[in-house]
Amino acid sequence: MFSLLMMVLMASIVHSFHTNNAFFLKSQGVSLFRTKKLMRELLFSSSNSNDRMPRHDVRGNDDTVSVDMDPEEEKIQRIFMEHQQKAPKLGFATDVRTLVQYNHGFAVLSTNSKSNPGFPGGSVVGFAPDEEGRPLFVFSGMSSHTQDLLADPRCSITIASKEFKGAADGRVNIMGQCKLIAKKDVTQDIKAAYLKKHPNAFWINFGDFNWFRLEDIQAIRFVGGFARAGQISPKEYKEAQPDPISEFGPHIAKHMNEDHMDSTIAMIRHYIPGMDVTEAIITSVDSLGMYIKVKRTPRASDQFQEFKLRLPFPRPANDRKDVKNLIVEMTTESSATSSAK
């Protein structure tokens, strides 16, 4: 018997498209046979598939187990998965570059331990991206990670999205060499970039603090949340630009969540037919749409479930005013459709 526990574990590790949707189906009471059938039809016919996206084996050992389910519920699930598959999203490189740019400024730096050879050392450190997205650091000479980097600059940094609360939220891991910046090369632009992210960092001018920068990037791996898992090349990362709407997206999300959740619920119901949710919390907003954490009780069930979905804009947004107009437009259309019924 296919283990629900295993599905949850897989979702918590990767949360890629197929894992998330398999869990969605299984938690609805869908038969294993139909779950796998739906998954294979949608996953392997995708026109948006990326060769670098990791995949799980959803076949299992037994395709014969079958449990009756409500036909209408199966229809809703198919509509939902097809909608999510086609929903426009930021490109992988833009997604990663955006996450790094608008992060809260703290991450986990992993170094090769000097004091414990053969073991990785982990430190929570402050950072700020430069104009190319390379993380900048200011470290005390007494810190263990400073000593590690001076002995061996190879390291990686794991950065979680600003709104990170669990496995469904974005994170990126960048591997490279963190090199000391000579004091004569510490420009005002470098200091300004760091102070923009950490305005109270008075220690940057202390004599025993040194500047480092993550350079010679070798690999970039990320999980961007729902349907966003893979890797990009250092060249793709360098050439990418942060999504401008994402910078103020959290403010829009906060306003919508506090004052207009009923509008968000109505938009979901309108744009994803049959998807009736009781709670909808916008977690992020970008130029192409929104990610929303929803709560829903499936048909013929008394247990609710929580998952993330993508709600795209009708067209790309260019600025804050444009986002407002798009949301008003979507809300009006959703309200009109609801009233017509």
Side-chain angles (χ1 to χ4, degrees):
M1 176 66 69
F2 191 86
S3 170
L4 177 59
L5 177 60
M6 181 59 70
M7 291 300 294
V8 175
L9 178 60
M10 287 159 60
S12 69
I13 295 174
V14 178
H15 235 273
S16 59
F17 173 78
H18 49 287
T19 305
N20 203 334
N21 279 301
F23 177 62
F24 172 79
L25 288 165
K26 194 74 172 73
S27 61
Q28 302 281 352
V30 186
S31 71
L32 176 60
F33 176 77
R34 289 184 179 178
T35 296
K36 293 175 180 177
K37 185 173 182 292
L38 283 172
M39 294 297 289
R40 284 200 284 265
E41 287 178 5
L42 290 171
L43 288 175
F44 302 110
S45 63
S46 172
S47 60
N48 298 326
S49 63
N50 187 289
D51 292 339
R52 292 172 297 180
M53 181 178 289
R55 304 181 188 280
H56 291 301
D57 181 1
V58 298
R59 294 170 297 177
N61 297 318
D62 186 359
D63 282 351
T64 63
V65 180
S66 181
V67 179
D68 290 337
M69 67 166 293
D70 185 272
E72 186 63 24
E73 181 65 31
E74 183 174 352
K75 178 183 176 181
I76 291 171
Q77 292 165 6
R78 184 181 293 276
I79 291 172
F80 170 72
M81 289 197 295
E82 290 177 346
H83 176 275
Q84 295 299 284
Q85 185 183 36
K86 296 175 181 177
K89 306 173 184 67
L90 298 177
F92 281 6
T94 302
D95 214 3
V96 174
R97 185 70 177 81
T98 299
L99 187 154
V100 173
Q101 186 70 30
Y102 304 129
N103 176 270
H104 42 57
F106 293 93
V108 175
L109 181 71
S110 299
T111 56
N112 291 305
S113 177
K114 180 181 178 181
S115 58
N116 299 95
F119 288 89
S123 303
V124 175
V125 299
F127 82 98
D130 67 6
E131 68 281 357
E132 295 182 12
R134 297 172 299 181
L136 294 165
F137 311 92
V138 187
F139 293 148
S140 166
M142 296 185 294
S143 298
S144 60
H145 47 265
T146 302
Q147 298 303 315
D148 293 345
L149 293 172
L150 291 176
D152 185 348
R154 292 176 300 172
C155 67
S156 76
I157 183 171
T158 301
I159 306 168
S161 62
K162 194 171 185 177
E163 68 275 8
F164 188 89
K165 291 184 179 179
D169 299 312
R171 60 272 196 194
V172 60
N173 178 262
I174 305 176
M175 301 180 188
Q177 297 196 36
C178 197
K179 297 183 177 180
L180 180 68
I181 304 175
K183 291 189 181 297
K184 63 181 180 62
D185 295 326
V186 178
T187 66
Q188 288 303 313
D189 287 343
I190 289 177
K191 291 184 177 181
Y194 196 86
L195 288 173
K196 182 179 180 180
K197 186 69 71 174
H198 303 279
N200 298 318
F202 55 86
W203 57 85
I204 67 170
N205 293 313
F206 286 3
D208 61 338
F209 275 69
N210 300 286
W211 289 86
F212 288 81
R213 178 165 49 210
L214 187 60
E215 302 177 352
D216 299 331
I217 295 175
Q218 299 296 311
I220 302 170
R221 304 176 301 182
F222 78 104
V223 177
F226 183 81
R228 309 296 289 169
Q231 58 186 353
I232 62 172
S233 70
K235 182 176 184 292
E236 289 172 319
Y237 179 75
K238 182 178 180 179
E239 294 176 351
Q241 293 297 318
D243 177 72
I245 302 300
S246 297
E247 182 172 12
F248 52 83
H251 301 290
I252 297 172
K254 184 174 186 294
H255 171 66
M256 290 294 295
N257 293 336
E258 292 180 351
D259 300 329
H260 304 289
M261 185 182 293
D262 55 340
S263 296
T264 306
I265 292 173
M267 285 189 285
I268 293 171
R269 184 181 300 118
H270 172 65
Y271 290 102
I272 311 177
M275 187 54 60
D276 292 321
V277 302
T278 56
E279 183 178 86
I281 299 174
I282 300 173
T283 59
S284 63
V285 181
D286 56 64
S287 60
L288 299 182
M290 304 174 281
Y291 282 106
I292 307 171
K293 185 177 73 172
V294 301
K295 183 180 291 187
R296 175 181 185 260
T297 301
R299 293 171 61 93
S301 173
D302 58 358
Q303 295 185 340
F304 72 86
Q305 60 172 205
E306 288 186 324
F307 56 94
K308 263 191 178 182
L309 58 79
R310 176 74 172 173
L311 188 65
F313 293 141
R315 58 187 179 278
N318 297 312
D319 52 35
R320 187 187 293 263
K321 183 179 179 181
D322 205 13
V323 174
K324 178 182 178 181
N325 291 339
L326 283 167
I327 292 178
V328 169
E329 176 185 320
M330 293 170 70
T331 300
T332 302
E333 183 178 335
S334 301
S335 177
T337 302
S338 178
S339 298
K341 296 178 180 179

